Structure formats: structure tokens, C-alpha cells
Amino acid sequence: MKIATFAKHVPISAVTPKIAHSLDRIEDANLAHEVNETDLYAIEEAVHQRSLHQGNVVAITIGGPRAKEALHVAYARGVDQAIHVLDETHRGTNSVLSTAAAAAVVKDMNCDAIFVGIQADDDLQGKFGIALAESLDLPVVTAVTEISFDPQNKRAKVIRELGAGFKEELEVDLPCVFTIQFGIRPVRYLPVMAVVKARTKKIDTLPIDSLNLSVDSQSAAQLRVLELSLPVSRGLCEMIDAPPPDAMKQLVATLVQRGVI
Amino acid sequence: MSKSNVIIVCEAGVGQTESANASLIAAGAKLARSRGGRVIALLIGNQIAEVAAELSRYGVEVRLADSPQHADYAAAVYLNELRKLLEEVDPGAVLFSHTYLGMDLAPRLAVKLSVAFASNCIDLEIENGSVRFARPMYRGRLIAKVALDSIPLVATMQQSGAKPELSNEPGVVTRIDASAGSDMRVRAIRTIVPKSSGVDIAKADIVVSGGRGLGEQKNYALIEELAAAIGGVAACSRPLVDMGWLTVSSQVGLSGKTVKPKLYLACGISGAVEHVYGMKEAGLIVAINKDPEAPIFKTADIGVIGDILEMIPELTAQVKSARQ
């Protein structure tokens, strides 16, 4: 069975990005990046499914030059092949272009399944997998937490989340796009040396222009960020910064005073 | 006037709350009013006539498909009905709640219509006749004011707690027969109901919630001890359920439960957007986290910077002596 899995290289989630002077984007030149978290879960699931059904997992990233690091991580986690669509202008942040590029790369691969994380940590849109499926005229299931493939009969049973703890079981025809939810299976601990070794593995680099995409990257079919700002607090957050005994004494006093305990 | 109407996709299935529909009506009404248009709701499910009646009290026209065949969620049914409704109503906007259903349907609709889409919007404002949405980006660490340059506007809206106005004239509820159309490549088999642990965290006055900051499963006992000492219930954020420490019935957030206790203690929880969703309407929110930049401090009323493994046992001891 053949699975393509997309891995987006995004600013690390542990820090607040600096807002650029123009206010409509972040300053990301010196910002550390990492693989989008749900794309990591997607890679783990793809590699797991390959171990059950044999076959091949190809990881794909669409981004600037440093996005190849996402593919080093994918290789370290066990994928068989890696493709880097090199997008020096938009670095993977133009949704219309990225969808078109993804479709162009995948359309002749004869995949049984295409995996994408449910949403990207940078734009939080959750649209990429759905747009890709539509582009390829494939079915798509979102928020997937369990998959059981039947490649011979070109079908799969899927469990997806509905919220509030409820889930839904579905049957889908293959090929299908699956947007993968957090926790589908554990993300394995990766020793640093595994990623270092993975840097020697071959990555197929495709400049985005070589795909001859006939899309308008300025298309109105994508959201336009006007201004970024820090979140406004819900109210004033009274901060306590003291060693545990004093901090907790202050906290308890406040809670008693406010009548909650 | 064309493009003045607003379609809202309401919900009455599993995991939905009244306040999701209420804040969607408020947002839709705000937009429709600014354009002199109407709000038309699509509602699909089984045994949901009361929900339809409730929506109509706000002056919303309701297109209701109510039948056992709609007991399970099927995107194809919604998309087919939306296609017909869009032709009839010619809306300027189609709004969804930011729920799993909205997150599944809204991008599908936007892609089919080749229009822009904004997910997880906190609010919409009308500035000089143009609509602006506020939404989180970068894991909620930044807020973006965004524009959608295509029509209809398609967005999912967070629950805001906004209460819409009741109307003197209830909206008309029209029953429709909804169907999936011809695409049967994805077939719903059944809805899986979560196992209840017996304690409904949504009913508690005090919730003590633990997150990834606990490090190891054995440390969750600290949360349970604090909950017992303070007279509350123990809960958690998603990662603890993903790691198998607890079941989803203990989870607070978009995939779990929405809680509105008088006191919510977030211990070692970073404050991801999906978690905050489930607790932001708590009366008093206290966050303990060693990361001073953790997004949770934007939602909390009281913040303590420190290691929860040191803070929580100390808090438990202090609470016990305060309550004696």
C-alpha cells in the first residue's frame, strides 16, 4: 500500500513569534521551526500502517529551503521517500499555491491514502487536507483517530471525532485523504542522532515553478491577514511570582476572599 | 438586496451546546442587520423539533431536516442542502460554529465555492462596510485581524457567550427532506457514545485540571488530592487522554467537555486554543505554569509562575488548613 504524508515546517509553538514592522506577518527569519505537530502524528500513523500492510510511505513538504529539515525528521521516523517542493517566495504559506503544488505532486502517485495533520499550527485553518482532496476529486475524512485499512478491497474503516467525547465510525472508499487528529498513536521519542543520520538520506527537490501550476497565487480564495497583535487578556491577570509556600498562601487568601473556597 | 442574507449552520447533534447556536445567531444577526438581510438557519438531525423552535424564537428562519436517517453526521447531506439553500437565498455569508462539525463542513463549502475561509473566529466586526474577523494564529500566541476577499464569506465562529435578541415575530420553520446526493464514497456506520466515568465534570463548581506539565502519570495523583481537598473534581487537558492516563470523560476542551465552574484551576496546562474553548466561561480561572509566556495566562484571572510539582502539594496543604 502507498501512503503520502504531508509535513509542514512551522514556527515552533513554544515561543510567541515577533510581529514584523508591517504588522501583517511575523518576523520568521531567525525563528526556530519544527514539524507541525499533527503532521508528526500523521507520519507516525503512516509508518505504523506500512508495518501492517507493507508498502511505501512518502513524506512531502512544501516550503522554503529550511523546510527540508521536516523531511529529515520524517526520515528519522521511518518514511521511505521524501519530496521537497521548494517554494522560495511564499515558503509554504500561500494556501492556494501549496494546495496546487501538493495535488500536482501526488496526483500520479497512485496512493491508497493521503495523510495530513488536521490543522497547521501557524495558520490554524484546517483547510489544506480538504482542499487537496477536492483538487484531486477524492473523498476526505477529518479529525481521524483510528484507521483500519483493507487495501485489497480498496476500503477502510475510520473513526473520527465529533467533539465532547463522541466519535463516529465510517467506511470509506480508497484512495482517500485523512486529516489526522492529535493522539492517533504515540509520537515516539526520537534520539537526536536519528535525525542527524537522516540528513544523509536523499530528498527529491522540486522547485515549485517546475510544476507548472496554473494558479493565481494572489487568488482571492484565501484569507488576508491585515494585522497581527498579542492576545488581549480576558481581564487583568493577577500574577503571583513567589516561592511555593508564599505563592500558595497568597493564592488561598485570594480564593477565600473571593468566596470561591 | 442580494448578498445581504446570512446562512447559519446550526447543530443539534452530539456534543453541541445551546450556547454554540446562540452565539452563531448573534454573529449572523449582526452581519445580516448591517446589510438589511435575513438570517436563515440550516438544521439537520433526528428528534430536534425543539431546537428548531428555539432558533425561531430569535426571528431566524429555519430549514429543518428532522428524521432518523440523519441521526449520524454525514457531510454529504449538509453540503447537498447547502448547495440548494445557497441558490435560493444568495447569501453574503455562511457561518458555522467552531465545532468538529463546523471544522469539517466549512472548509469543504469554501473549497467547493472557491472562496476564502476563516476558521475559529473570535469575533466579527464591520469596519466601513467591510467585514473583519479576529482569529488566533500561531497556536493562539497571536491574534490576527483578517479579511476575506470573496463572497460569500465563509467562517467558523467560536462560542462567544453572546446572547441574541428574542424576536417579536418568530421565524418560520420549514421542514425539508435532506439527502446526500450522489457521492457515497464516505458512509457513516454509527455514532460512538463516550463511556461515562460516573463523575460529570461539567456539573462541578470547582474543577482542578492537569496538563502535560505533570510529566508522569503518577503525578496526576497530585491533581486528585488537590481536587479532594478543595471540594472539586479532577479533570485534564487532551494530552493526558492521548497518553492513556485518563478517559475523554475527564477532558476539558473542544474534543471533550465544556465546563463553567465557579473556579477552574489549570495546572501545567499551556492554554492551547482547543483547551481554552472548554473552560473560558469559568467564573474564576487560576493558572499555574512554569512558562511565563504560556497562552493560558491570557485567559486566567490569577496566574502563578512556578513548577506545579512543587506548587500543587503546597496548595493542597494550604487549602486543607484554610478549610479547617
Side-chain angles (χ1 to χ4, degrees):
Chain A
M1 94 164 269
K2 185 156 193 166
I3 303 174
T5 189
F6 284 86
K8 192 177 185 187
H9 208 217
V10 295
I12 58 168
S13 56
V15 300
T16 303
K18 257 186 85 178
I19 301 171
H21 226 55
S22 57
L23 298 183
D24 62 350
R25 62 187 186 288
I26 58 167
E27 272 182 23
D28 76 343
N30 295 317
L31 185 55
H33 281 56
E34 63 189 0
V35 176
N36 179 47
E37 192 169 356
T38 47
D39 291 339
L40 274 183
Y41 283 104
I43 292 167
E44 290 289 344
E45 181 65 18
V47 165
H48 169 75
Q49 293 293 344
R50 186 205 48 212
S51 73
L52 296 179
H53 299 285
Q54 295 176 329
N56 185 272
V57 177
V58 54
I60 305 162
T61 196
I62 300 158
R66 71 181 153 186
K68 69 180 188 292
E69 188 61 29
L71 298 175
H72 296 145
V73 170
Y75 263 134
R77 291 189 177 279
V79 308
D80 302 295
Q81 192 192 341
I83 298 174
H84 180 187
V85 177
L86 183 57
D87 170 17
E88 302 208 63
T89 310
H90 302 283
R91 300 194 299 281
T93 61
N94 184 302
S95 64
V96 167
L97 205 55
S98 293
T99 304
V105 167
V106 151
K107 75 177 184 334
D108 295 324
M109 271 189 187
N110 281 323
C111 295
D112 297 283
I114 298 170
F115 288 179
V116 175
I118 187 176
Q119 69 181 21
D121 292 340
D122 53 0
D123 66 24
L124 298 183
Q125 283 278 80
K127 186 181 170 192
F128 176 72
I130 291 171
L132 179 59
E134 181 71 11
S135 227
L136 297 167
D137 190 28
L138 291 180
V140 55
V141 184
T142 66
V144 172
T145 56
E146 206 176 307
I147 313 175
S148 176
F149 282 107
D150 179 2
Q152 258 189 321
N153 291 313
K154 296 215 143 272
R155 279 199 301 251
K157 285 243 166 75
V158 189
I159 295 184
R160 64 171 309 255
E161 286 192 336
L162 292 174
F166 288 80
K167 294 187 177 184
E168 187 176 41
E169 188 180 3
L170 306 159
E171 190 182 63
V172 305
D173 293 340
L174 301 179
C176 182
V177 176
F178 301 85
T179 85
I180 304 294
Q181 181 54 293
F182 288 93
I184 187 168
R185 71 186 50 259
V187 171
R188 292 161 296 160
Y189 164 72
L190 211 55
V192 173
M193 278 316 291
V195 181
V196 171
K197 277 189 193 162
R199 291 201 177 112
T200 61
K201 293 204 166 184
K202 180 175 175 292
I203 294 175
D204 295 319
T205 303
L206 300 172
I208 201 164
D209 291 337
S210 72
L211 297 175
N212 295 316
L213 305 172
S214 56
V215 285
D216 172 14
S217 67
Q218 302 305 306
S219 166
Q222 53 193 329
L223 71 73
R224 184 162 53 94
V225 175
L226 301 170
E227 193 180 304
L228 291 169
S229 57
L230 290 171
V232 169
S233 298
R234 166 181 125 116
L236 186 66
C237 184
E238 216 180 288
M239 294 303 293
I240 300 174
D241 192 355
D246 300 323
M248 294 302 95
K249 213 177 195 174
Q250 273 183 59
L251 178 60
V252 170
T254 307
L255 294 180
V256 168
Q257 189 196 43
R258 299 225 200 171
V260 281
I261 60 169
Chain B
M1 185 171 118
S2 91
K3 313 297 183 197
S4 59
N5 298 324
V6 176
I7 293 175
I8 57 175
V9 180
C10 290
E11 301 180 38
V14 299
Q16 308 322 323
T17 66
E18 283 167 23
S19 71
N21 285 337
S23 48
L24 194 57
I25 295 170
K30 183 178 186 177
L31 199 43
R33 225 179 1 249
S34 75
R35 296 163 170 208
R38 304 145 30 218
V39 178
I40 299 103
L42 177 64
L43 186 68
I44 299 175
N46 184 35
Q47 296 185 312
I48 53 171
E50 261 182 49
V51 180
E54 178 64 23
L55 299 180
S56 76
R57 274 178 212 121
Y58 299 102
V60 170
E61 285 174 46
V62 184
R63 303 301 160 87
L64 171 67
D66 186 357
S67 151
Q69 75 183 107
H70 300 311
D72 299 318
Y73 167 65
V77 176
Y78 278 86
L79 290 170
N80 197 32
E81 294 312 311
L82 277 169
R83 183 183 51 78
K84 295 185 220 162
L85 198 51
L86 258 83
E87 274 170 37
E88 182 203 324
V89 163
D90 193 25
V94 185
L95 303 180
F96 301 74
S97 282
H98 191 71
T99 58
Y100 274 85
L101 197 135
M103 288 192 282
D104 187 60
L105 275 179
R108 289 176 195 256
L109 181 69
V111 164
K112 285 204 183 293
L113 299 176
S114 298
V115 298
F117 158 67
S119 173
N120 203 1
C121 298
I122 300 159
D123 199 5
L124 68 86
E125 291 296 336
I126 297 136
E127 281 175 17
N128 302 320
S130 296
V131 182
R132 301 290 178 244
F133 294 91
R135 61 180 301 274
M137 289 184 72
Y138 305 101
R139 279 283 190 101
R141 290 184 175 270
L142 294 179
I143 300 296
K145 183 159 61 165
V146 306
L148 300 177
D149 297 326
S150 46
I151 301 283
L153 308 174
V154 177
T156 63
M157 307 297 301
Q158 285 191 21
Q159 288 184 44
S160 61
K163 302 259 180 298
E165 287 169 20
L166 289 166
S167 174
N168 293 326
E169 269 188 54
V172 174
V173 176
T174 307
R175 283 182 175 262
I176 58 174
D177 286 321
S179 64
S182 55
D183 189 349
M184 295 299 294
R185 292 177 296 178
V186 178
R187 302 172 287 280
I189 298 175
R190 63 188 177 112
T191 302
I192 302 168
V193 176
K195 291 191 192 67
S196 167
S197 69
V199 175
D200 187 354
I201 58 171
K203 296 206 165 86
D205 275 340
I206 299 178
V207 176
V208 182
S209 203
R212 260 203 270 231
L214 287 167
E216 287 178 75
Q217 186 166 5
K218 66 176 171 62
N219 293 331
Y220 190 76
L222 298 175
I223 299 289
E224 288 167 327
E225 280 156 26
L226 176 55
I230 206 169
V233 301
C236 68
S237 60
R238 185 186 183 120
L240 304 201
V241 175
D242 287 345
M243 290 190 286
W245 299 5
L246 293 148
T247 64
V248 72
S249 59
S250 298
Q251 182 182 328
V252 173
L254 192 57
S255 310
K257 295 209 174 150
T258 298
V259 300
K260 295 179 199 186
K262 62 178 191 200
L263 173 63
Y264 188 87
L265 278 141
C267 308
I269 292 174
S270 66
V273 174
E274 296 79 17
H275 180 75
V276 167
Y277 205 88
M279 46 66 100
K280 64 187 177 175
E281 288 179 64
L284 188 74
I285 299 171
V286 175
I288 308 175
N289 198 300
K290 64 180 171 200
D291 174 10
E293 286 196 24
I296 192 81
F297 291 125
K298 296 289 181 203
T299 308
D301 302 297
I302 302 173
V304 181
I305 300 172
D307 184 343
I308 48 166
L309 300 183
E310 292 173 9
M311 292 288 178
I312 298 174
E314 189 61 48
L315 181 57
T316 303
Q318 301 264 3
V319 162
K320 279 180 181 163
S321 50
R323 287 182 105 208
Q324 264 155 17

